[in-house]
Amino acid sequence: MKLEHKYCAGPGRVTVTDGQVISGYASLFGKSDQGGDIVSRGAYHTSLAQGRRIRMLWQHDPAQPIGIWDEVVEDAKGLWVKGRLLTDIAKAREAASLIAAGAIDGLSIGYRTIRARKDDQGARHLTELDLWEVSLVTFPMLADARIAAKAETAGADELRQLTAAFAAARRLLSPL
């Protein structure tokens, strides 16, 4: 299986918060992207449960890691990420400048499809994905996959942490 990307044109805005900390939704459940794919709730569960570090790349280029995703959480809305640009890296400094200027604000996932089904209208419903990376991109395939402005994330961090804690507790309590 080849690595797939969700990458295409779409408008938006972005803000780097707290210095070089960035956050936003890299994927939203139930929304059709420009390729006709729809990610289902729970699609990332198995991949995230493996505990593998999800890479932060520049424009899906594996030769250009630019930061660290400190949090990658599947919540009721989608795949939410929060991380830090590593400004000792020249490309990360460039990314921070582009984000601050509003020139770039997209997030895009790199993954392998494990399970999917087509519906009667031809849309592909992605039900299980092996997530490899989340990139900062110019044009995300899902127009709403954007880095969030600070005002939009104020107070939401606590809710996401609570959602993640409940999900972890549910996994621990569910029978194998």
Side-chain angles (χ1 to χ4, degrees):
M1 288 189 207
K2 70 176 187 131
L3 194 63
E4 296 180 59
H5 300 111
K6 291 291 166 207
Y7 181 85
C8 196
R13 69 178 193 293
V14 68
T15 302
V16 175
T17 60
D18 300 325
Q20 306 310 315
V21 175
I22 58 174
S23 65
Y25 279 95
S27 176
L28 295 167
F29 300 137
K31 290 197 168 216
S32 181
D33 68 17
Q34 295 181 45
D37 286 346
I38 301 169
V39 177
S40 299
R41 188 173 180 183
Y44 301 102
H45 174 80
T46 301
S47 183
L48 294 177
Q50 294 174 359
R52 200 175 56 224
R53 179 167 290 281
I54 305 304
R55 306 298 177 193
M56 181 192 293
L57 302 180
W58 176 251
Q59 306 284 357
H60 294 296
D61 184 347
Q64 293 191 60
I66 58 169
I68 302 291
W69 292 119
D70 296 311
E71 296 178 49
V72 180
V73 178
E74 183 178 48
D75 64 18
K77 187 174 179 180
L79 184 70
W80 183 81
V81 295
K82 181 178 180 181
R84 297 169 281 129
L85 293 169
L86 300 178
T87 55
D88 289 344
I89 299 167
K91 186 55 76 175
R93 287 192 303 275
E94 290 175 32
S97 293
L98 290 166
I99 292 167
I104 190 168
D105 67 349
L107 292 173
S108 181
I109 57 174
Y111 63 95
R112 284 200 167 88
T113 300
I114 305 298
R115 270 189 290 210
R117 64 173 176 78
K118 289 245 182 185
D119 66 20
D120 295 339
Q121 289 76 39
R124 187 171 69 145
H125 293 264
L126 306 174
T127 57
E128 185 177 351
L129 300 175
D130 183 17
L131 183 66
W132 283 55
E133 54 96 0
V134 176
S135 285
L136 274 69
V137 297
T138 309
F139 303 115
M141 183 70 101
L142 181 62
D144 292 334
R146 302 289 174 177
I147 300 169
K150 188 169 190 168
E152 294 171 358
T153 60
D157 286 345
E158 292 81 13
L159 182 57
R160 275 193 264 300
Q161 289 172 355
L162 186 59
T163 300
F166 279 127
R170 191 171 44 250
R171 284 191 300 273
L172 287 173
L173 295 173
S174 67
L176 299 174

